[in-house]
Amino acid sequence: MTTDVHGESGLRKATLTDQDLVEASWDYCRIHALAVTDDEGPPENSILDYREDDDLDPTAPSALELHLDLDYIVRRIDPGPMRQVHFWVAPATLIFHNVWDIVGSLRSICMPFELKGLRQEGRSRSSEPCWHLEGRDLDLMFQASSYTLYLRQPPRYGSRVLRMAERGGISFDPKPFA
């Protein structure tokens, strides 16, 4: 028996992974920020021999991660004709792990990005999943081993986009609220 972490919205869990792709909905999720990060490099005072970037094995796993700060729509409430649609929305961090071969376009810096879909496009020659992230003024394809979505706060009932004060500003924090 599965218990909901937020009964009113019907949210079952505060952390979703690529294993939950079928049940996850990405339509109209507002993206507030995105970043590509690398590991922090070798630890200080390390006795290990680190290579220069030119010496790295191109077949080794990538340390890059793609981070998105978004308003994740947990549930849409459609009351019927001529009535306003409401949503259960939570600020969330979406992280793709071991990312490489990022191609695509970001076509606007004037309008906010909104997701329309996230789907797995099959597997690459290295047997890693290929992902397609598409939205308004956004179309990215890349390879990544997996993703994790962390809902940072309980869902709020109202419009589909949270105000910055409600969501706690921009954040890539990978900690779920429950």
Side-chain angles (χ1 to χ4, degrees), residues 40-114:
E40 297 178 10
E44 291 183 28
N45 303 323
S46 174
I47 58 170
L48 298 175
D49 179 27
Y50 284 90
R51 299 176 178 189
E52 294 294 323
D53 285 344
D54 293 346
D55 296 335
L56 293 177
D57 178 1
T59 62
S62 168
L64 293 178
E65 291 185 329
L66 174 61
H67 301 256
L68 286 90
D69 177 17
L70 53 92
D71 290 341
Y72 183 74
I73 298 173
V74 173
R75 186 171 159 211
R76 175 187 166 122
I77 308 295
D78 191 356
M82 305 300 290
R83 304 207 52 193
Q84 186 175 6
V85 176
H86 287 88
F87 301 85
W88 284 99
V89 182
T93 301
L94 175 61
I95 302 175
F96 289 92
H97 309 283
N98 306 316
V99 174
W100 71 99
D101 274 350
I102 301 173
V103 296
S105 62
L106 303 172
R107 292 180 289 278
S108 173
I109 58 171
C110 300
M111 298 293 291
F113 296 119
E114 285 182 359

Side-chain angles (χ1 to χ4, degrees), residues 1 25 56:
M1 179 174 138
S25 174
L56 293 177

Side-chain angles (χ1 to χ4, degrees), residues 5-48:
V5 296
H6 190 264
E8 288 179 275
S9 67
L11 182 65
R12 294 186 175 271
K13 50 189 175 179
T15 302
L16 302 171
T17 68
D18 49 300
Q19 302 301 311
D20 303 305
L21 182 62
V22 173
E23 53 192 82
S25 174
W26 303 101
D27 205 19
Y28 296 112
C29 293
R30 171 71 54 92
I31 300 173
H32 293 278
L34 58 92
V36 177
T37 61
D38 196 355
D39 67 0
E40 297 178 10
E44 291 183 28
N45 303 323
S46 174
I47 58 170
L48 298 175

